[in-house]
Amino acid sequence: NFLQKYNSHHPYGWNDGPLSFSKGYQFVGSGGVYMRWRNIHLTLRPEFFKTASEPYESNSSWGQRTSSLSKLTMGQSSLRMDFGPLSLGVSNQNLWLGPGLYSSLLMSNNAQGFKHFNIGTNRPLKTPIGSFEFSVIGGTLKTIENQFFEQSNLKTEIIKPNTRYLNIFSFVYNPILFKNLYFGFNRAFQQFSQLNPSSNLNKYYFISLQPLFRNNYRDDNLAIDQLLSGHVKLLFPKQHSEIYFEYGWNDGSSNLRDLTLELAHSAASIFGFKKLTYIKTNTYLLIEAEATKMAQSPGYLQRNAGNWYIHGLINEGYTNENQIMGAGSGVGNNLQTIALSYNKGWTKYGIKFQHISHDPIRMISNWQDLYLGKVDWQDFSYGLILKQKRNHFLFNLNIEWVNSKNYLWQDKNNASNFYFFVNTIYLW
């Protein structure tokens, strides 16, 4: 597998693992083997990547050039042991949580994978009331010194290179009476790694299993950050379509009253749908649409929650190797995507449009909370999608022209960027 990315004017593009939010050319190559012996599964798939570091226009609010990186990692490697429908494993693979196609609030492949253990199901657990899937994940997050942070608008942070421990609980329920309806819940805690953690597993290793409301435990003055979300997905098999919705918070509520009175406080959401229209047995049209909202609600005027992925006493934010682990389009950004494609077997031809509103509610200063006369930075992206198989080679190509209006939140500072992304896979 050989993945390449290029930006002509300024950083753009996400969901590309270890590749950075930079200008210029960068790549990641990987390959390996999968082996199975009885109930033991082993995947060895290391990755080598080199990021870009070309100079580009920036200002005090956004952007900073840092040196490029070259690194060999374990990539998408994993070791898993199955015990019927349950599994225990260790891995460095990327994870994806939630129903989103282009974004995920809690976990996507925007950052490179991190070392973690996983206890959970490998297939749905069937019960008289429906099917259940769950996963408990614990892993180590790292920081790279002298590199920009995506959650800091591509600025470097003066911090100690401490590792952090991340614990995630993920749960999906499919009711017996509604076979096409799925409910999900994801919860993530991160804190600085401890040499001698508490013997109470719920205090550290499985902190995501703590009670839902914070009146049962207090972490106000502790360097512990929490993200949680719930989602629902509804399938329409006869219409070959689905809709989904995810809603999350970058902090836990103190109690039920706190949650219900200010439901939009520290909240973000994803809404989307997709539909297939068959032309022939293996030929169909596919339309996909998704909207991601991470900007604060108007309630910030009375109770500021900060942008998503920025909360509490952990300055590194919700990152691994300085990259956001959730929605990678930018901190506090709102994103809309619509794509239409023609699909036949391995072949795909499509067009895609994306709009990004960059941090529309920016905390410039305490005197500008109403942002009268502020300048909005908007990105409009027009793209072509191509997937084609030739002999043993599978090519996935995405070319986009990005029109940035008021780039860097500067009035009439318009810019154009050419974004090129191609993934070449050799199959045998």
Side-chain angles (χ1 to χ4, degrees):
N1 189 54
F2 187 57
L3 192 153
Q4 302 171 82
K5 174 181 174 180
Y6 173 76
N7 279 296
S8 65
H9 184 269
H10 60 266
Y12 189 83
W14 53 94
N15 293 348
D16 46 29
L19 299 187
S20 68
F21 215 61
S22 306
K23 177 193 172 185
Y25 172 79
Q26 49 190 314
F27 68 88
V28 56
S30 68
V33 295
Y34 164 77
M35 295 174 282
R36 178 181 177 182
W37 180 70
R38 295 185 178 179
N39 65 330
I40 300 175
H41 305 257
L42 175 64
T43 298
L44 295 175
R45 187 182 164 187
E47 292 178 336
F48 176 78
F49 66 90
K50 182 177 177 59
T51 62
S53 181
E54 290 188 12
Y56 61 93
E57 183 184 357
S58 60
N59 63 10
S60 59
S61 298
W62 192 89
Q64 182 175 347
R65 182 189 182 191
T66 55
S67 60
S68 63
L69 299 172
S70 297
K71 191 175 181 181
L72 177 66
T73 71
M74 289 300 294
Q76 306 303 309
S77 300
S78 65
L79 175 63
R80 190 185 88 220
M81 181 177 293
D82 294 337
F83 303 93
L86 302 178
S87 294
L88 173 65
V90 292
S91 174
N92 200 72
Q93 291 176 312
N94 280 111
L95 307 171
W96 190 288
L97 298 176
L101 300 175
Y102 293 91
S103 297
S104 171
L105 293 182
L106 263 70
M107 187 61 63
S108 71
N109 62 340
N110 183 65
Q112 62 177 288
F114 57 93
K115 295 180 177 63
H116 63 271
F117 69 81
N118 191 339
I119 304 171
T121 55
N122 54 57
R123 62 177 183 268
L125 290 172
K126 296 183 178 180
T127 73
I129 60 172
S131 299
F132 295 86
E133 299 174 75
F134 75 91
S135 182
V136 179
I137 301 160
T140 301
L141 307 177
K142 296 182 178 180
T143 299
I144 309 175
E145 291 187 88
N146 303 317
Q147 288 287 318
F148 62 75
F149 280 82
E150 288 187 354
Q151 106 288 349
S152 298
N153 284 338
L154 309 188
K155 299 293 186 180
T156 57
E157 294 277 356
I158 301 176
I159 57 175
K160 296 180 180 179
N162 296 320
T163 62
R164 287 158 287 136
Y165 175 72
L166 175 71
N167 184 227
I168 298 176
F169 174 67
S170 179
F171 176 83
V172 177
Y173 170 54
N174 176 214
I176 188 68
L177 298 178
F178 303 95
K179 296 186 179 296
N180 299 321
L181 182 63
Y182 295 83
F183 297 98
F185 174 78
N186 299 310
R187 191 185 197 191
F189 277 86
Q190 67 162 326
Q191 56 186 306
F192 290 112
S193 301
Q194 300 177 13
L195 293 176
N196 298 301
S198 171
S199 58
N200 185 340
L201 297 181
N202 282 1
K203 297 284 188 179
Y204 186 75
Y205 290 108
F206 299 128
I207 191 173
S208 63
L209 301 181
Q210 287 271 16
L212 181 61
F213 295 118
R214 291 170 55 231
N215 59 356
N216 294 290
Y217 66 95
R218 303 307 306 184
D219 61 358
D220 307 70
N221 300 315
L222 301 176
I224 299 176
D225 284 354
Q226 177 183 186
L227 290 171
L228 66 162
S229 74
H231 65 262
V232 60
K233 181 169 70 172
L234 181 59
L235 308 180
F236 302 91
K238 293 183 179 180
Q239 288 75 30
H240 309 292
S241 61
E242 68 176 50
I243 59 174
Y244 54 88
F245 179 66
E246 182 177 18
Y247 198 86
W249 300 266
N250 77 347
D251 191 14
S253 299
S254 295
N255 48 47
L256 183 60
R257 180 178 180 276
D258 182 26
L259 176 64
T260 55
L261 287 180
E262 206 165 356
L263 192 64
H265 173 69
S266 74
S269 63
I270 296 176
F271 175 76
F273 78 92
K274 69 176 182 178
K275 177 175 174 56
L276 283 70
T277 300
Y278 278 91
I279 301 173
K280 296 180 181 179
T281 303
N282 67 335
T283 305
Y284 60 90
L285 295 176
L286 172 63
I287 184 171
E288 301 169 314
E290 184 175 286
T292 301
K293 178 186 178 298
M294 291 185 290
Q296 291 198 69
S297 66
Y300 79 92
L301 291 170
Q302 290 186 324
R303 189 183 179 190
N304 178 38
N307 280 326
W308 254 76
Y309 310 125
I310 300 176
H311 179 262
L313 302 176
I314 300 180
N315 294 331
E316 294 88 338
Y318 189 67
T319 64
N320 180 47
E321 305 279 358
N322 303 22
Q323 293 182 286
I324 293 173
M325 295 183 293
S329 57
V331 175
N333 290 359
N334 294 335
L335 167 69
Q336 300 86 41
T337 303
I338 185 167
L340 175 66
S341 61
Y342 169 87
N343 300 264
K344 182 178 181 181
W346 292 94
T347 301
K348 181 175 186 176
Y349 304 104
I351 55 176
K352 182 175 72 172
F353 169 76
Q354 287 187 314
H355 167 251
I356 299 177
S357 180
H358 285 263
D359 199 0
I361 298 178
R362 288 195 301 138
M363 296 300 293
I364 302 173
S365 76
N366 293 332
W367 299 102
Q368 294 175 291
D369 283 347
L370 295 179
Y371 309 112
L372 300 176
K374 72 183 181 72
V375 176
D376 289 327
W377 172 7
Q378 311 278 340
D379 281 349
F380 300 89
S381 172
Y382 310 88
L384 297 176
I385 305 169
L386 171 65
K387 183 171 76 173
Q388 192 78 48
K389 187 174 183 292
R390 286 287 183 266
N391 298 321
H392 290 280
F393 289 93
L394 177 64
F395 299 95
N396 289 277
L397 177 64
N398 183 15
I399 301 175
E400 298 181 32
W401 176 68
V402 185
N403 179 22
S404 297
K405 292 189 175 182
N406 301 325
Y407 175 60
L408 302 176
W409 298 286
Q410 295 176 353
D411 190 27
K412 298 181 181 179
N413 182 25
N414 300 329
S416 296
N417 180 58
F418 176 73
Y419 170 72
F420 175 88
F421 183 92
V422 59
N423 192 12
T424 306
I425 303 172
Y426 181 79
L427 305 169
W428 74 91

